[in-house]
Amino acid sequence: MLIHGIPVNIKWNNTVLMIASFIISVLVGLILNFAGASRGVSVMLFTVGMAYLKLLFLLAVPLVCLNLMAGVMLQLQSGGRGSVRLRVFHCIAVIGAAVLGMLAGSITGSSQIPAVPIGYIDFDLRWFRPFVPWVLLVSALAGAAAGKIGPEGEEARRLFRSLADVFAFAGTLLLRFLPVGLFFLLCPMIASRGLSVLWPSVKLVLVTVFCCAAYGVLVYGYQLRHCGKDCPGHFLRNFKPVLLQAFAVCSSGSGEGEALHSLQRMGIAEETGFAAWRCGKLLGKTGTVLYLGIACMMMVRYVGMKVPFVTEAGIFVWILFLSLAVLRYRGSGLYCVLVLLFLLGLPLRTAVPLLVFEWLLDGCRSALNSAAAGTGAYLADKLGWMK
């Protein structure tokens, strides 16, 4: 492409397409709103968008189950290696992030009537809901069996890992069509209710960004100060490229090589850094559980659903349970939220606010996951946890 005679290579990545889709959806929705478009137009557009959303959910169930199986299997295989103190550190941090996420989502959520057109086709899947919890539990049990069966189960372990990678990659391929799906979901909502339908998405982004930044600074920054007053700044200066890469590509698993180089620049031995980093990627998923807690509780408040304490405790357990899955690809948080919302019996149309700024939410989640793994590796080396 030539701009003023200068060749410029413009890369249309998914983030640019999502921003363009959002702008086009808002503009077309406002035009339809001002023109007084009939309800039939909104229903037709929203029905196409709901078909894409249901396709996301149908892929989410096997994707989460297979990666849950692989995650449990990997954790049992590595159970005899690594530092106990490092594992305890990550487990406590994840539990704290889940509590913070649920509290933030409950406090900032508000009861509203879902702003969706009336009369769309829902492609009802409620008959499948009672089976989902048992499918998840069986997946975890199968992963535990594969991890403990011994050398004779190596073929099964390779098969499970391969299937998990295949479905995770299929999830990334399906998300490439998210800009189109967002248009068919957001445009009719704005045409029916105006710009007020964007407020739940904006509030979700603001709360998620604030909680991720606050948790990273207050929790991990405070822990790094145990190694010295200058350690938080030293860690951030060296680890900043890894965090930016995780945020940009919406995946905490893509920057492992850069992360290990950053840890070596901070004086951490290659073997120690690799072992501590892999432990953090398996257990230190604070960004994922924080995002799941905020998104789930805000969507519950969004539809005005009353949640007793027992149900909140169940949500907390399921969030921690789903964090065991080895989801390192883009859209991991979205697929887990879809499964959680379905477990709660909420209609999948409540997931529409999650799609509007999905790339930003997933970027924050991935960056905090990388910060957790890097902080754990830094502390393990400087405080002697790996000895």
Side-chain angles (χ1 to χ4, degrees):
M1 181 177 180
L2 295 177
I3 299 179
H4 296 291
I6 302 175
V8 178
N9 183 19
I10 298 178
K11 185 178 180 180
W12 297 100
N13 57 25
N14 191 76
T15 301
V16 175
L17 292 177
M18 285 295 296
I19 296 175
S21 175
F22 172 76
I23 296 174
I24 294 173
S25 301
V26 172
L27 293 177
V28 175
L30 290 176
I31 292 173
L32 293 176
N33 186 286
F34 292 145
S38 63
R39 186 178 297 274
V41 175
S42 298
V43 170
M44 181 183 63
L45 293 174
F46 198 78
T47 301
V48 176
M50 281 300 298
Y52 176 76
L53 186 57
K54 290 297 174 70
L55 188 60
L56 283 176
F57 166 74
L58 290 176
L59 181 61
V61 174
L63 188 150
V64 172
C65 288
L66 285 170
N67 283 274
L68 180 64
M69 186 185 304
V72 174
M73 180 178 62
L74 289 175
Q75 290 186 27
L76 288 178
Q77 284 183 297
S78 61
R81 300 186 298 270
S83 168
V84 175
R85 284 177 290 184
L86 181 59
R87 293 174 179 273
V88 172
F89 166 76
H90 284 305
C91 291
I92 294 176
V94 165
I95 293 174
V99 173
L100 175 61
M102 293 187 63
L103 288 176
S106 300
I107 294 173
T108 57
S110 60
S111 299
Q112 302 179 34
I113 298 175
V116 295
I118 300 175
Y120 67 92
I121 301 176
D122 194 23
F123 302 104
D124 197 6
L125 293 171
R126 286 178 295 180
W127 61 271
F128 184 59
R129 179 174 169 250
F131 299 98
V132 175
W134 301 107
V135 171
L136 293 174
L137 293 174
V138 169
S139 300
L141 182 61
K148 288 293 186 180
I149 196 173
E152 61 273 12
E154 184 59 32
E155 292 187 7
R157 288 192 287 270
R158 283 199 300 266
L159 175 63
F160 292 158
R161 287 194 293 265
S162 299
L163 288 175
D165 291 338
V166 167
F167 272 86
F169 185 69
T172 61
L173 293 179
L174 184 59
L175 285 178
R176 292 183 180 179
F177 297 94
L178 184 56
V180 179
L182 177 63
F183 172 81
F184 284 101
L185 289 168
L186 187 59
C187 178
M189 292 172 62
I190 295 177
S192 301
R193 303 292 180 87
L195 293 177
S196 61
V197 301
L198 296 176
W199 175 235
S201 299
V202 173
K203 186 162 57 173
L204 175 62
V205 168
L206 293 176
V207 174
T208 303
V209 171
F210 175 79
C211 289
C212 287
Y215 201 83
V217 173
L218 298 178
V219 176
Y220 291 124
Y222 173 77
Q223 292 296 328
L224 287 170
R225 286 182 64 88
H226 286 86
C227 302
K229 293 183 179 181
D230 297 331
C231 287
H234 179 247
F235 174 83
L236 183 60
R237 285 191 300 271
N238 287 277
F239 216 70
K240 182 169 61 175
V242 181
L243 302 181
L244 292 177
Q245 182 179 359
F247 177 81
V249 301
C250 300
S251 173
S252 58
S254 62
E256 181 171 312
E258 180 64 30
L260 295 178
H261 287 306
S262 298
L263 293 174
Q264 290 178 21
R265 287 196 298 268
M266 289 184 280
I268 300 175
E270 181 178 0
E271 183 177 355
T272 301
F274 180 77
W277 170 263
R278 296 302 296 271
C279 179
K281 299 309 296 179
L282 285 174
L283 297 175
K285 300 174 184 176
T286 52
T288 298
V289 300
L290 187 61
Y291 167 66
L292 292 181
I294 294 173
C296 186
M297 295 307 298
M298 287 192 70
M299 294 306 103
V300 165
R301 297 289 187 265
Y302 175 60
V303 299
M305 176 181 176
K306 295 182 179 180
V307 182
F309 177 77
V310 176
T311 304
E312 290 185 351
I315 296 174
F316 175 78
V317 172
W318 278 115
I319 288 175
L320 295 179
F321 184 75
L322 292 179
S323 69
L324 300 176
V326 185
L327 292 167
R328 297 170 295 181
Y329 294 83
R330 180 177 174 267
S332 303
L334 175 63
Y335 286 118
C336 290
V337 170
L338 289 176
V339 174
L340 270 176
L341 295 180
F342 193 72
L343 284 174
L344 292 173
L346 271 66
L348 288 181
R349 63 179 181 269
T350 57
V352 174
L354 304 174
L355 304 180
V356 178
F357 300 107
E358 183 271 340
W359 58 274
L360 183 56
L361 296 170
D362 210 22
C364 294
R365 177 193 66 83
S366 301
L368 187 57
N369 282 345
S370 295
T375 302
Y378 189 92
L379 293 173
D381 180 78
K382 302 303 181 183
L383 300 181
W385 289 352
M386 300 301 290
K387 295 180 181 179

